[in-house]
Amino acid sequence: MNLDPSDEQRVFAAALRQFLDDADPLRELRDAEPADSPFDRKIWSRLANEIGLHGILLPQAVGGSEGDLLDAVAAFEELGRSLLSGPYVASLVQAPNLLAAAEAEQGAEWSAQLAQGELVVTVPFERTDVKMAGGGTSTGSVRVSGAVGPLPFAAEADLLLLVTTADELVAVPLGERPPIETHVSIDPTQRFGTVTLDNTPGVLLAHGVGVASAHDRALTQAATALAAEQVGAAGKCLETAQAYAKERTQFARPIGSFQAVKHLLVDVFIELTFARRATWLAAWELENGVESRLPRAAWSQAATTLQLAATTSVQVHGGIAITWEHDAHWYLKRAVAFKALFGSPAQHHDALGGELVHG
């Protein structure tokens, strides 16, 4: 088993890194007004058309590249490295898995729009308890009522995809903008909202066992992609902390020569190595049909690693790390927000322990 990126993945990741370095999304976010959305739709569209990012997990028939989760992991490491804002996990990972289960023809049309960067999709992590009218037992137009959230970038999305507690796959176009309550996040690069649907027009795309399987697959792949995002962010923290430790001098010596600083950076390197391997192994097992606990383990390790890496970066940089112009505090805020998003490492460790003990 080779868990190193392939040559194609390295080339793709390098192109994506160059694009994001040039775009410098954090610079744009610093210059924006506090009320402005951190989501840049121009970058979204360019990534789809110039890099082909949005089609990684979509079939060629709708304009995708028909890649696999390992390709997505390589991409999400780069997205995490730049702290790019947007519902990329929802649209690029969860949505393709769910739309693949759609029985209605509209699913293929939305997939094609997504591949072209013309559609922004938001998806909740959990099944949703909503009420539907119409449709009966067949796919087609329905009316949906209920509160759905938290949803990543709900106010910016064009389409809401959800799986109900009855294993029904429902799509709700958000063009008419139903009431949305936006939640404040400690991380300025993230935005979440709760959408209140009241007899809102939607489409029942599929129902039954196939939808349940698609939901489970979307969730485990999302956890793996989010782990990769955190690995990329942690890697950037380590990279910048190392560079600063070589440049900053104290007592006429680079601070990186001090044993205490060396130990801090080595600790991050070790945890980062474990997190990256766990993430790539999780992606490999999922792609090869192995029933795996690794997505949960990878998420836990990556969340712990990003917290350590971001905290260490702030410590190494000192006072400048918490100034608005510096990047270090942005990564620390992302670490805290991510742990709240998908559950703390402690929660996942407890669940893993229970699975191992009880089989």
Side-chain angles (χ1 to χ4, degrees):
M1 179 192 308
N2 183 3
L3 295 179
D4 292 324
S6 66
D7 291 340
E8 292 80 4
Q9 289 162 351
R10 292 180 192 276
V11 170
F12 181 77
L16 182 54
R17 178 175 297 194
Q18 184 62 59
F19 178 97
L20 293 171
D21 285 348
D22 292 342
D24 196 359
L26 281 184
R27 179 194 61 202
E28 298 296 326
L29 192 54
R30 285 192 194 93
D31 296 339
E33 295 295 327
D36 292 343
S37 171
F39 175 54
D40 191 325
R41 191 134 189 172
K42 290 181 179 178
I43 290 181
W44 174 272
S45 180
R46 288 184 60 200
L47 282 170
N49 293 288
E50 297 176 26
I51 304 295
L53 179 66
H54 297 46
I56 288 180
L57 297 181
L58 289 170
Q60 292 181 353
V62 297
S65 57
E66 214 159 313
D68 59 23
L69 186 56
L70 292 163
D71 299 324
V73 163
F76 273 89
E77 281 196 21
E78 298 303 324
L79 298 184
R81 185 178 181 275
S82 68
L83 292 190
L84 184 62
S85 300
Y88 286 91
V89 169
S91 291
L92 277 58
V93 179
Q94 291 173 274
N97 278 288
L98 295 177
L99 289 173
E103 298 169 5
E105 293 182 2
Q106 186 67 58
E109 296 178 21
W110 280 324
S111 295
Q113 292 175 13
L114 180 56
Q116 294 300 316
E118 299 170 355
L119 189 70
V120 179
V121 184
T122 187
V123 186
F125 284 115
E126 303 296 336
R127 286 177 171 83
T128 307
D129 187 14
V130 295
K131 295 180 179 178
M132 286 195 300
T137 59
S138 62
T139 58
S141 299
V142 293
R143 293 277 175 171
V144 188
S145 299
V148 185
L151 294 164
F153 294 88
E156 292 81 7
D158 306 310
L159 182 71
L160 164 63
L161 278 180
L162 58 91
V163 174
T164 71
T165 52
D167 290 332
E168 299 158 315
L169 175 59
V170 183
V172 180
L174 298 176
E176 297 180 5
R177 292 296 165 200
I180 297 174
E181 178 188 359
T182 300
H183 306 304
V184 177
S185 172
I186 189 175
D187 178 9
T189 69
Q190 299 293 303
R191 181 170 289 190
F192 297 90
T194 297
V195 177
T196 301
L197 306 173
D198 184 9
N199 213 30
T200 306
V203 180
L204 176 61
L205 296 174
H207 54 83
V209 177
V211 172
S213 297
H215 175 267
D216 292 343
R217 185 167 58 253
L219 189 60
T220 54
Q221 290 198 6
T224 307
L226 285 168
E229 210 174 320
Q230 292 180 105
V231 165
K236 180 64 174 179
C237 290
L238 178 59
E239 178 185 315
T240 55
Q242 284 177 317
Y244 186 75
K246 293 176 182 177
E247 297 171 0
R248 177 75 166 90
T249 59
Q250 189 71 23
F251 308 114
R253 293 172 56 189
I255 62 172
S257 65
F258 300 141
Q259 197 76 358
V261 175
K262 288 180 182 179
H263 283 181
L264 287 173
L265 297 176
V266 168
D267 287 343
V268 174
F269 174 79
I270 292 171
E271 294 300 319
L272 178 59
T273 300
F274 287 149
R276 178 171 283 122
R277 285 305 184 192
T279 301
W280 280 82
L281 182 56
W284 185 91
E285 290 199 347
L286 290 174
E287 278 300 322
N288 285 275
V290 178
E291 187 174 343
S292 177
R293 298 184 179 97
L294 272 170
R296 187 191 293 275
W299 163 265
S300 302
Q301 179 64 31
T304 301
T305 298
L306 179 53
Q307 181 84 49
L308 175 65
T311 302
T312 299
S313 180
V314 169
Q315 288 179 304
V316 171
H317 282 91
I320 64 168
I322 58 173
T323 61
W324 183 254
E325 293 78 10
H326 203 276
D327 289 349
H329 68 93
W330 293 82
Y331 287 85
L332 182 57
K333 290 171 181 174
R334 174 65 68 90
V336 174
F338 262 5
K339 287 170 72 175
L341 171 66
F342 207 63
S344 69
Q347 290 174 305
H348 289 287
H349 291 160
D350 289 345
L352 281 169
E355 291 176 11
L356 291 171
V357 170
H358 300 294

